[in-house]
Amino acid sequence: MNLFRFLAASTVLAVSTACASMGGHSPFDSSLIKDARPDEAKAYSDFLIARFAAMTNDPQMAAERYSSAIDTAPEKSGIADRALFASLLSGEYPEGVRVAQRANLLGSDAALVRLTLAVDALRRGRDADAQTMLEQSRFGPFNRMIARGLSAWRVVESEGTGAAVRYLEDGLSGDPRLDSAALYMMGLIELSAGNDDQALAVFESLWETGSRLAVGVEAHAQLLAYRGQRAEALAMLSEFDREIGHNAAIARLHEAIERGDKIKVRRLKPEEGAALAIYVPAAALMSQTDDDVSAVYFVLALALDPDLHVARSLWAQSLANAERWEEAISVLVRIPESSAFYGTSRGQIAWALHNSGRDQSALAVAQDALENSSDRGLKVQIADLYRTLGRQEAADRLLTRTISDDARQGREDWRLFFARGASRESLGKWHQAEQDLLKALALQPDDPSLLNYVGYLYVDRGENLDQAMNMIQRAAEQAPNSGHIIDSLGWAHYRLGNYDLAVEHLERAVELEPGDPVLNDHLGDAYWQAGRKLEAKFQWRRTLSLDPAAEQRDVIEAKLTAGPLEPVVKQAESDKGSMLLPLQPR
């Protein structure tokens, strides 16, 4: 807003100065100046301010300005569509409904307008209005998936379970990968009606195809445990954790079954099922993109089911991805202590505080959360926070505790051994770090980040150079567009004295990550050793412009005078006792 105020003030000053210079005898009729302002100027001004607000992560201001521009802008429905998106993005669902109604009256056929009005109709029990808005031929593939799920739960309410199941069956493609979301909805609809045998048949067919949707797996395991098949339920939940990773609701159910608790089956109400019909595709969308588009869908899902706390957690994560830390925190604090996602929400809050520059507050929240929650996901989040803040001893202790807890449950998570190995390496505990990293590699031998990390460490230490190069090359083959992995490959060649190859790979790494000071510094070193000293100095000066860490800056300034130190190119003596296991040929 300051930018626009400055521009407006500058314009007023220029006009005033011009009039004063003419001594009050202007040949122009002032009414001509007034009338020359287009009627649409105000609308365009609001539109531009709204666009600027949207680009600078201020959706609330964007929504206000877009709304102001709707009535006077030449292209009304398009601006109304933007106003709706901004309203939902800022979490203002009631305002979003009002804007969607205006957009609809102006002739908008935008998918988000129709979905918002459909959600509003479902909440108010207006079946005919919902049916009209959910006409699927007017949606693209992604929104059509959502509309189909919403329609199925609408049919449950208006025509019954059988009609809803037939409706979903009619839309199946025959490809389990494409049909999995619809089939999970079918299973949940059968379960909601008490048709447990039919629901179990659907869930088991999905499990056999390899589908792993958390809300569906949770319902499947609940049903198994409810029917006395506790061992099968536990095996399924453990496999989900190994294949997909930690999920707070899955973990809570696993613990309840292990304790011998009586397990109840959750039978969804239509509005709860409809919320999942929005949430599931939105969660998939979020996993594939870095923007905050998925946030608007989470807002719609929560309008149908305010207790869908996993949607609130992911909504906050999408806000955090857009660096909207305060809004993320305000969303997270509304997750109650009774929720399975309460523990991880505290970890998310701690991270948001750290990312907004409040490290002491972040640590205070983290400590309080650890004292009041045994949630495994929270421990992992806080251990990562400790590592980021340089509190490696605290991270080591917390990761050790979590690894020990896992061992008692027969679980081994390679990511925890990787994290603890990295912490111990930072602490100078190389042999312990090496044990952890090798354990992680034994559990997950093909992860590119892990291969790259271990290979880079060995190269930097001058140990196991041939096998280290093999690791880094494998990582680069799997992630050819990762600047940091390609940098490791180039740096490995540099440490081995293969300077021309080093330059080739390091130039590619800098193309992929042009703003990274470490990668640019490495390229400067490679240029120098390849005899390209003018280019090396240019590269180091460029590195200084990229705000490197203070210690890196000092080293670079010294290199501008004397060049880099010679690289280590021979095997270290410690290689003889190395624990690195032989790699299997690919």
Side-chain angles (χ1 to χ4, degrees), residues 66-308:
Y66 279 136
S67 294
S68 297
I70 290 173
D71 292 329
T72 53
E75 209 284 287
K76 296 178 177 59
S77 65
I79 291 183
D81 296 344
R82 291 172 182 266
L84 170 59
F85 183 87
S87 295
L88 294 177
L89 195 59
S90 62
E92 298 293 336
Y93 170 75
E95 176 62 21
V97 172
R98 287 191 287 272
V99 173
Q101 290 168 342
R102 294 178 70 189
N104 187 51
L105 290 172
L106 291 168
S108 172
D109 199 38
L112 190 58
V113 170
R114 300 177 65 78
L115 287 177
T116 302
L117 293 177
V119 167
D120 183 58
L122 290 171
R123 292 178 77 235
R124 297 173 184 273
R126 296 175 178 171
D127 181 69
D129 291 344
Q131 184 176 11
T132 299
M133 289 299 160
L134 292 171
E135 170 54 48
Q136 290 169 49
S137 64
R138 301 164 76 175
F139 290 104
F142 178 78
N143 289 302
R144 188 181 304 129
M145 185 191 312
I146 293 175
R148 188 160 189 79
L150 288 173
S151 294
W153 287 98
R154 180 194 67 76
V155 172
V156 169
E157 182 80 7
S158 61
E159 302 175 42
T161 301
V165 169
R166 288 191 296 274
Y167 170 81
L168 287 172
E169 286 176 337
D170 289 343
L172 296 178
S173 69
D175 185 339
R177 295 169 299 176
L178 300 177
D179 293 339
S180 61
L183 287 169
Y184 270 119
M185 285 299 134
M186 190 185 300
L188 292 170
I189 285 171
E190 295 280 23
L191 195 63
S192 71
N195 301 331
D196 292 357
D197 289 341
Q198 293 90 327
L200 188 59
V202 173
F203 290 147
E204 294 199 338
S205 68
L206 280 162
W207 183 261
E208 291 300 320
T209 65
S211 294
R212 299 292 185 266
L213 181 64
V215 293
V217 171
E218 182 186 6
H220 187 181
Q222 279 181 349
L223 184 53
L224 287 172
Y226 174 74
R227 293 162 69 106
Q229 298 172 261
R230 288 177 173 263
E232 292 91 331
L234 287 173
M236 176 185 299
L237 296 173
S238 295
E239 187 170 339
F240 180 93
D241 185 78
R242 286 193 301 272
E243 292 182 3
I244 308 300
H246 177 79
N247 176 280
I250 296 287
R252 174 177 281 195
L253 178 59
H254 192 287
E255 292 168 4
I257 295 172
E258 279 195 323
R259 285 194 306 266
D261 294 355
K262 183 178 180 179
I263 304 301
K264 296 181 180 179
V265 174
R266 186 185 177 206
R267 304 192 189 277
L268 300 174
K269 300 174 183 176
E271 59 269 25
E272 294 171 331
L276 288 177
I278 300 175
Y279 162 76
V280 169
L285 175 66
M286 181 179 168
S287 70
Q288 298 168 17
T289 62
D290 294 325
D291 56 36
D292 52 6
V293 172
S294 55
V296 300
Y297 295 99
F298 295 135
V299 172
L300 291 177
L302 286 163
L304 288 164
D305 181 9
D307 293 329
L308 187 59

Side-chain angles (χ1 to χ4, degrees), residues 330-350:
S330 69
V331 169
L332 291 165
V333 295
R334 294 166 63 186
I335 296 178
E337 290 187 43
S338 59
S339 170
F341 295 90
Y342 177 77
T344 51
S345 75
R346 302 302 100 174
Q348 287 176 275
I349 290 172

Side-chain angles (χ1 to χ4, degrees), residues 491 494 521 524-526 528-529 536 540 555 558-560 562-567:
W491 195 241
Y494 178 90
D521 183 26
D525 288 3
W528 182 278
Q529 298 294 356
W540 289 328
V555 171
K559 284 192 289 192
L560 281 167
L565 296 173
E566 287 293 320

Side-chain angles (χ1 to χ4, degrees), residues 370 378-384 386 393-403:
L370 289 171
L378 171 67
K379 293 175 187 174
V380 174
Q381 282 178 299
I382 300 306
D384 281 343
Y386 285 155
E393 291 282 6
D396 187 347
R397 288 193 298 270
L398 186 52
L399 288 165
T400 297
R401 198 167 92 204
T402 309
I403 289 170

